[in-house]
Amino acid sequence: THRSAYITIRDKKQMFARLAQHVIVALIVGALYFDLANTQKTRFDRQSALFIMVLFTLMSTIMGTVITLPMEKAMIKREYGNGNFLMSAFFVGRILVLYGF
């Protein structure tokens, strides 16, 4: 997890792109659901907004892991072959680090 956090922080271009992506999506969702009444009729609209935000966060995290996998493939094979970590531990650590950013 420490290595994944270090790699993620060092890549300024990726960090800026992820930040911009999250801000833009937050503005769009906020604009869509801005003046929502606080009644029972709008309950499903609020649930829809929460669903969109959670789904976007999870999908961007998972896609970040999938996209960076080919670049790290040689390192993963080498260290997995040496018995340094389990593959599941690598992916869980990588997803947790990207979820925070």
Side-chain angles (χ1 to χ4, degrees):
T1 325
H2 176 61
R3 178 184 298 154
S4 294
Y6 181 72
I7 290 170
T8 302
I9 291 171
R10 266 186 66 190
D11 192 358
K12 300 294 183 194
K13 186 177 178 181
Q14 180 188 16
M15 284 286 290
F16 178 74
R18 289 178 60 83
L19 178 65
Q21 188 179 32
H22 283 271
V23 168
I24 290 169
V25 169
L27 289 174
I28 291 171
V29 171
L32 287 174
Y33 296 102
F34 176 67
D35 201 17
L36 205 57
N38 194 14
T39 63
Q40 282 295 98
K41 291 181 182 179
T42 61
R43 150 179 112 242
F44 292 115
D45 295 334
R46 285 191 299 276
Q47 287 177 349
S48 298
L50 289 173
F51 177 75
I52 289 170
M53 289 185 284
V54 169
L55 186 68
F56 172 75
T57 304
L58 292 175
M59 288 304 292
S60 66
T61 302
I62 291 171
M63 289 308 293
T65 302
V66 169
I67 289 171
T68 58
L69 183 64
M71 294 183 282
E72 298 176 347
K73 187 176 180 181
M75 182 269 308
I76 294 169
K77 278 182 156 181
R78 182 180 63 242
E79 292 191 1
Y80 177 72
N82 290 339
N84 290 344
F85 55 80
L86 297 173
M87 196 59 67
S88 59
F90 171 78
F91 279 110
V92 168
R94 185 75 176 152
I95 288 172
L96 287 175
V97 165
L98 287 178
Y99 188 71
F101 293 100

